[in-house]
Amino acid sequence: MSWLDEINWNADGLVPAIAQDHRSGRVLMMAWMNRESLALSVQENRAIYWSRSRGKLWRKGEESGHVQKLHELRLDCDADAVVLMVEQIGAIACHTGRESCFYRILNDGVWKTVEPVLKDPHSIYQAGHSHE
Amino acid sequence: MSWLDEINWNADGLVPAIAQDHRSGRVLMMAWMNRESLALSVQENRAIYWSRSRGKLWRKGEESGHVQKLHELRLDCDADAVVLMVEQIGAIACHTGRESCFYRILNDGVWKTVEPVLKDPHSIYQAGHSHE
């Protein structure tokens, strides 16, 4: 049996994937993977997600260069979520140009942006669309 | 508008919630929240999830005592995932008696358990069932 068969894929054949910086422990983003994208992530040693909005493989960094090198893959007790310990090339995971996608903190009932844009998104994405 | 209205709940009215140790940065678990459970988590300053299997609120630690005190709540760029920075009471988040639910690492095509059981699950849960 393949290690992929041990994963409890959801009704859409997906599993939530949490990308964490392997050094700082910072949670960079959460996206989804299907069987093919997870297999390819391990094979190519980089995060490859499944884009639900575009319905296709999303090789993180394919356009931005912000590739996530895979250092370690973890599975949880229920086998329905994975953590990817990654090295974030360019130190930017978010399409807004921030290190992490989790840049808003709840503060007195308001979501407050607490992290700087490190790079103008327009200079990250030539084509100008917001997601890779 | 409430901060809750800014969240992109999925078709089932849920959002994935990632619990991370506020000191070590360790990802402890991933579960789901609905509007009520997230509102209550902030109100009571502790993680309260929505148990999809049981179809009811799951006050993390209600049986085990392994409460997760909420230190910070973060929202991602797409507003469809949250990170909870928590203090894990008892230093055990997983129902298997381990610190984190992500205790298996992919190693040469095999999921390998790399973390010790800190406490016998039977002594954690009086009723003997595997989940709170």
Side-chain angles (χ1 to χ4, degrees):
Chain A
M1 192 170 84
S2 162
W3 57 276
L4 289 159
D5 294 324
E6 293 183 54
I7 293 172
N8 288 321
W9 307 96
N10 74 8
D12 296 321
L14 303 177
V15 70
I18 301 158
Q20 191 177 14
D21 186 286
H22 78 118
R23 278 199 214 93
S24 69
R26 186 74 201 278
V27 172
L28 301 172
M29 56 183 281
M30 202 217 87
W32 295 81
M33 289 187 167
N34 64 4
R35 190 180 170 99
E36 185 187 7
S37 71
L38 184 51
L40 285 172
S41 295
V42 170
Q43 202 175 301
E44 301 185 14
N45 227 39
R46 59 179 283 192
I48 299 173
Y49 301 101
W50 176 255
S51 169
R52 296 178 302 171
S53 58
R54 292 181 299 146
K56 63 173 194 165
L57 290 176
W58 166 27
R59 292 171 185 275
K60 174 69 183 164
E62 59 192 346
E63 190 186 343
S64 63
H66 296 154
V67 167
Q68 295 176 333
K69 283 198 195 175
L70 186 60
H71 279 245
E72 192 176 276
L73 181 64
R74 288 184 173 248
L75 180 64
D76 76 346
C77 53
D78 293 329
D80 62 1
V82 293
V83 164
L84 289 79
M85 300 300 281
V86 303
E87 180 185 345
Q88 177 63 64
I89 305 301
I92 293 174
C94 187
H95 75 283
T96 64
R98 293 179 176 89
E99 180 193 8
S100 163
C101 294
F102 294 92
Y103 57 80
R104 287 183 284 183
I105 292 183
L106 187 66
N107 187 287
D108 287 334
V110 176
W111 294 110
K112 190 177 167 188
T113 296
V114 293
E115 299 194 12
V117 170
L118 302 175
K119 196 173 174 183
D120 179 359
H122 293 102
S123 72
I124 300 177
Y125 303 97
Q126 322 289 302
H129 49 78
S130 67
H131 268 88
E132 294 173 286
Chain B
M1 193 169 85
S2 162
W3 57 277
L4 289 160
D5 295 324
E6 294 183 55
I7 293 173
N8 288 321
W9 307 96
N10 73 9
D12 296 321
L14 304 176
V15 72
I18 301 159
Q20 191 177 16
D21 186 285
H22 78 118
R23 278 199 215 92
S24 70
R26 186 74 201 278
V27 172
L28 301 172
M29 57 183 281
M30 200 218 88
W32 293 82
M33 290 186 166
N34 64 4
R35 190 181 169 100
E36 185 188 6
S37 71
L38 184 52
L40 284 171
S41 296
V42 169
Q43 203 174 300
E44 301 184 15
N45 227 39
R46 59 178 282 193
I48 299 173
Y49 302 100
W50 176 254
S51 170
R52 296 178 301 170
S53 57
R54 291 181 301 146
K56 63 172 194 167
L57 290 176
W58 166 26
R59 291 171 186 274
K60 175 68 183 164
E62 60 192 346
E63 191 185 342
S64 63
H66 297 153
V67 167
Q68 294 175 335
K69 283 198 194 174
L70 186 60
H71 280 245
E72 193 178 276
L73 181 64
R74 288 183 173 249
L75 181 63
D76 76 346
C77 51
D78 293 328
D80 62 1
V82 293
V83 164
L84 289 79
M85 300 300 281
V86 302
E87 180 185 345
Q88 177 63 63
I89 305 301
I92 293 173
C94 187
H95 75 284
T96 65
R98 294 179 175 88
E99 180 194 6
S100 164
C101 294
F102 294 92
Y103 57 81
R104 287 184 283 182
I105 292 183
L106 188 66
N107 187 287
D108 287 334
V110 176
W111 293 110
K112 189 178 168 187
T113 296
V114 293
E115 298 193 13
V117 170
L118 302 175
K119 197 172 174 184
D120 178 1
H122 293 101
S123 74
I124 300 177
Y125 303 97
Q126 323 289 303
H129 50 78
S130 66
H131 269 86
E132 292 173 286

